[in-house]
Each structure stands twice: as structure tokens, then as C-alpha cells.
């Protein structure tokens, strides 16, 4: 089986996997109502830098709207890249066969999360390599865990490259049937030195608007509680080169 055939087979397996309801998991002990939870992933090696400040601003706003949340740091340890070994599609849905880095942690947490927000600093007009490796492995090995769950990305930069970074992140969400949550602007904040991002008042407001929109969508999904969209069983794949 060549690489192209394997990718087709893997994509079909993901598309045909059981759909996870976006409003899952947590039950309020008093009312019996489900409380949506957002997983926020800090793709910066700095645990308390500008990316974390943006995620914290979002988390605070989510809490005001009654949404649970958790911020997870990818840290500074190496994150393996996907090597296209195919083991994740041969192990009974247990996820990536490499289970010794942060991808395994995020995969486990994503199983009970109802939405995903990923923050990353901008490196040469691109997301941090560690967060890219993590997201590619997560989506390829455990796509069933993210299907239909709202998602958003945010980028922090000194000056430029943020829009290209957001495009890279959003392309992954769109391939996984994840509704991309908007804000009042692109989800960008500016700052170089530690804490400088707080001076970007428009950027901070953008983060709060993103959180408000995420909460709005999750509440709508939660109240409706309808099943996920019924899609065509098999995608029609067309290769540009025949």
C-alpha cells in the first residue's frame, strides 16, 4: 500500500468513526445539566508568556459565561512528529502508538472536552513546531475525538506572520469537521517582551470576544442536544495527478 492509498484509508476510517457529541461529559450535580468544557492548549514553551496571557484572558471570560476550561502547557520537552507509520489505525483506536509525550496527554483530555482552543507564538510566519507536531498526530490518530467540536486558534507575534499562522491552524480544524469560532477580528495579539501583550488592548478584547462567541455556540449546542450532522458516508477523493 503506497502513501496515497494509506491516507485515503485512514481518512475513511476517521470519517466513518463514531461521532462524539460536542456537548459531552460533565454533569452539574445540582441541576443535572451538562456543563461544556473547553480545552485550551498553550503551544509556547514559555508557561507564563504572552501566549499564556491570551489563553488566560479567554479562560476568565469563559468562566463568566459558565463554561468549564483547562489550560494545558506543551512545555519544553520534545514532541514527536507523525512518521506515517499507520500504527494508530491498527491498534483498536487507542491513538498514536507513541505515548511518551504531550500528544498522549492531550489525546486523553480531548476525549472529555467539548471544544478546543490552541494558542501559539509565531515562528518565522508559522506555528511553533511542537504544537504542529502534536496537532497533526492528534488529528491523524484520534480524529474521532475532535469531530464536530468547536475550535479556534490564536497567534501571538512581535510584528508579522500571524495571519499565515492562523491559516495553518484553521486548515486542520476545517478538515476535521470542527466549527471554527470567530471573534471581532483575526485572533491575534501583539507583544515581544514578557507581558507586553497586555498592552495590546484590542488584542485582549479580541480574546474576550472569542471566548464569548465560543460560550454562545457551546450553550446553543448544549441546549439543542441534537445529534451531529449526518454526512455522506464516503468522501469522493480526486487526485490532481492521474
Amino acid at each position: 500500500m503506497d502513501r496515497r492509498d494509506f491516507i485515503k484509508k485512514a481518512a475513511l476510517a476517521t470519517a466513518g468513526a463514531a461521532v462524539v457529541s460536542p456537548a459531552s461529559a460533565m454533569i452539574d450535580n445540582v441541576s443535572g445539566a451538562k456543563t461544556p468544557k473547553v480545552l485550551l492548549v498553550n503551544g509556547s514553551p514559555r508557561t507564563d508568556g504572552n501566549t499564556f496571557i491570551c489563553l488566560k484572558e479567554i479562560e476568565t471570560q469563559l468562566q463568566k459565561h459558565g463554561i468549564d476550561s483547562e489550560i494545558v502547557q506543551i512545555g519544553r520537552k520534545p514532541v514527536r512528529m507523525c512518521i506515517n507509520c499507520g500504527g494508530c489505525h491498527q491498534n483498536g483506536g487507542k491513538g498514536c502508538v507513541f505515548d511518551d509525550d504531550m500528544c498522549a496527554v492531550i489525546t486523553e483530555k480531548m476525549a472529555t472536552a467539548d471544544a478546543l482552543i490552541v494558542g501559539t507564538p509565531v515562528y518565522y510566519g508559522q506555528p511553533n513546531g511542537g504544537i504542529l507536531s502534536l496537532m497533526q498526530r492528534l488529528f491523524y490518530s484520534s480524529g474521532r475525538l475532535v469531530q464536530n467540536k468547536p475550535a479556534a486558534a490564536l497567534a501571538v507575534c512581535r510584528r508579522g506572520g500571524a495571519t499565515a499562522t492562523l491559516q495553518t491552524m484553521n486548515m486542520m480544524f476545517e478538515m476535521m469537521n470542527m466549527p471554527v469560532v470567530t471573534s471581532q477580528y483575526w485572533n491575534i495579539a501583539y507583544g515581544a517582551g514578557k507581558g507586553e501583550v497586555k498592552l495590546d488592548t484590542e488584542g485582549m478584547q479580541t480574546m474576550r470576544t472569542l471566548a464569548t462567541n465560543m460560550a454562545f455556540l457551546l450553550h446553543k449546542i448544549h441546549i439543542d442536544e441534537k445529534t451531529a450532522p449526518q454526512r455522506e458516508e464516503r468522501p469522493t477523493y480526486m487526485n490532481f495527478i492521474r
Side-chain angles (χ1 to χ4, degrees):
M1 181 185 300
D2 63 18
R3 177 182 174 86
R4 181 178 296 165
D5 289 337
F6 179 80
I7 292 174
K8 286 183 180 180
K9 182 178 179 181
L12 286 171
T14 298
V19 173
V20 178
S21 173
S24 67
M26 303 190 69
I27 305 295
D28 184 274
N29 292 329
V30 178
S31 64
K34 295 176 181 177
T35 304
K37 180 178 180 179
V38 179
L39 179 64
L40 301 99
V41 181
N42 182 3
S44 172
R46 298 178 178 176
T47 59
D48 59 350
N50 288 322
T51 305
F52 174 76
I53 290 172
C54 289
L55 291 172
K56 195 65 180 176
E57 190 78 6
I58 292 171
E59 182 179 56
T60 300
Q61 190 73 2
L62 286 172
Q63 291 172 350
K64 291 180 180 178
H65 291 286
I67 302 294
D68 286 341
S69 60
E70 179 183 7
I71 298 177
V72 180
Q73 317 280 350
I74 68 166
R76 296 186 175 184
K77 293 182 179 180
V79 178
R80 293 176 183 265
M81 67 177 183
C82 179
I83 63 170
N84 193 27
C85 67
C88 56
H89 296 288
Q90 301 169 10
N91 64 3
K94 296 179 181 178
C96 184
V97 295
F98 296 128
D99 59 359
D100 57 352
D101 63 14
M102 279 302 297
C103 184
V105 175
I106 299 300
T107 300
E108 182 179 358
K109 291 181 179 297
M110 200 64 228
T112 56
D114 302 295
L116 176 66
I117 297 177
V118 182
T120 177
V122 175
Y123 291 171
Y124 296 97
Q126 304 166 75
N128 175 8
I131 196 64
L132 269 181
S133 293
L134 189 154
M135 299 301 294
Q136 289 170 357
R137 280 172 54 210
L138 168 67
F139 285 4
Y140 191 60
S141 65
S142 302
R144 69 194 184 283
L145 299 180
V146 301
Q147 292 280 330
N148 305 301
K149 295 181 178 181
L154 66 95
V156 179
C157 67
R158 180 190 69 85
R159 185 173 177 86
T163 52
T165 297
L166 284 177
Q167 180 182 6
T168 299
M169 299 298 296
N170 286 338
M171 288 176 74
M172 290 189 282
F173 300 148
E174 291 179 10
M175 286 189 69
M176 303 309 295
N177 291 304
M178 304 177 77
V180 178
V181 180
T182 62
S183 62
Q184 65 193 34
Y185 193 71
W186 298 298
N187 302 327
I188 297 169
Y190 292 90
K194 182 177 178 180
E196 281 186 359
V197 74
K198 293 180 180 178
L199 302 177
D200 180 7
T201 54
E202 183 178 351
M204 291 294 97
Q205 186 182 56
T206 297
M207 299 302 135
R208 294 191 296 272
T209 303
L210 167 61
T212 297
N213 290 347
M214 174 66 82
F216 170 80
L217 181 57
L218 283 173
H219 282 310
K220 288 294 184 182
I221 293 172
H222 165 66
I223 291 171
D224 193 3
E225 290 189 340
K226 289 184 178 179
T227 56
Q230 297 300 308
R231 303 186 179 93
E232 294 183 22
E233 196 169 315
R234 283 189 175 215
T236 302
Y237 291 98
M238 293 292 295
N239 297 324
F240 292 111
I241 301 176
R242 294 182 171 275

